Amino acid sequence: MLDSLARALRLTDDERVHLYSLARPTRTRRPAALAPQRVRPAVYRILDTLAETPALVLGRRTDVLAANELARALYVDFEALPRHDRNMARFTFLDPRARSLYANWQAVGHAAVAALRLYAGRHPHDPQLAELVGELSLRDPDFRRWWAEHDVQRRTYGAKLFHHPVVGELRLDYEALAVTGDDEQTLGIYTAEPASPSAEALRLLAAWGAEQPLPGPLGTRAPRVV
């Protein structure tokens, strides 16, 4: 029946997955809290080897679990933020730097909401999701409007346009790769076309990021994001 309904409505693959999630029988008892996510040491080493390209690990609710130096230079130093704020949706909607960083902020914001909607279909009773959605709905009218549209989308690859305050315009292609061992961790890697202005901007961004003071007391690196 669900297959017939999905075909009749011409649902996308992501919308079909969301429909199946919503159709699952709900438990009468609230499920136990989800266990905290951990990033394996080998995944941290992968991030460190990708020194010439921004890379980060996203978890449930678009939580930023880890980010290499160039990703922190591109976005924000997630390791220096309170743990509560290490979330890509919070950055997109609540950090004023995001609206000028993304050349097409509305498209990025709408995609972030659609990704959260897809996650909500799998974990409708996640208390941290309810807190996040409630906070964003209260503080941002765009989020509130897009959340009410019930669009769903899984971000797997594409391109993003940035206007970085230090190095200017960048066009970066991104790939979202599944991290084995935790199907709710995604390794996001951003690359620039070789020999392009964006590749040169990334090189300059890496040099600028390396010159910035390390977060933490007395110039020490803050603990790894886990």
Side-chain angles (χ1 to χ4, degrees):
M1 182 181 70
L2 291 179
D3 286 338
S4 299
L5 179 60
R7 286 194 298 270
L9 295 176
R10 298 181 179 180
L11 299 182
T12 66
D13 291 342
D14 292 338
E15 290 167 341
R16 187 186 295 262
V17 169
H18 188 59
L19 173 65
Y20 293 157
S21 296
L22 295 177
R24 286 200 307 262
T26 58
R27 300 176 180 178
T28 56
R29 186 174 60 183
R30 185 175 295 276
L34 297 171
Q37 291 180 287
R38 295 287 184 262
V39 177
R40 298 195 306 273
V43 178
Y44 278 122
R45 291 196 294 271
I46 292 173
L47 290 177
D48 289 339
T49 62
L50 298 171
E52 298 181 355
T53 186
L56 67 170
V57 178
L58 297 184
R60 305 184 190 108
R61 304 167 297 271
T62 70
D63 288 343
V64 179
L65 303 179
N68 70 1
E69 187 173 279
L70 195 47
R72 298 196 299 271
L74 176 64
Y75 284 106
V76 66
D77 191 349
F78 292 104
E79 292 189 0
L81 297 178
R83 190 175 300 276
H84 173 272
D85 296 335
R86 299 172 190 173
N87 178 276
M88 192 57 73
R90 277 195 177 93
F91 169 77
T92 301
F93 287 96
L94 302 185
D95 193 318
R97 292 169 289 189
R99 292 183 184 253
S100 58
L101 176 65
Y102 294 117
N104 190 350
W105 179 88
Q106 286 201 344
V108 172
H110 193 276
V113 176
L116 283 180
R117 264 292 177 194
L118 190 64
Y119 173 83
R122 299 193 304 270
H123 299 289
H125 301 299
D126 181 353
Q128 290 177 275
L129 174 66
E131 177 190 359
L132 175 63
V133 170
E135 178 185 4
L136 296 180
S137 296
L138 285 173
R139 299 179 60 182
D140 191 276
D142 290 317
F143 180 90
R144 186 164 59 247
R145 182 176 71 257
W146 292 332
W147 184 257
E149 292 176 359
H150 291 264
D151 290 340
V152 294
Q153 179 184 357
R154 183 164 55 98
R155 295 175 291 182
T156 54
Y157 65 91
K160 287 183 180 179
L161 302 177
F162 298 89
H163 182 78
H164 195 274
V166 175
V167 300
E169 305 294 330
L170 301 98
R171 183 193 184 279
L172 301 179
D173 297 308
Y174 69 87
E175 296 285 339
L177 309 177
V179 177
T180 57
D182 186 339
D183 59 5
E184 291 184 320
Q185 285 189 29
T186 301
L187 173 62
I189 302 175
Y190 294 80
T191 60
E193 187 73 21
S196 66
S198 294
E200 175 62 15
L202 269 186
R203 188 188 67 78
L204 294 174
L205 184 62
W208 173 79
E211 295 174 355
Q212 301 309 299
L214 296 178
L218 301 180
T220 58
R221 173 68 67 186
R224 284 288 198 179
V225 181
V226 294

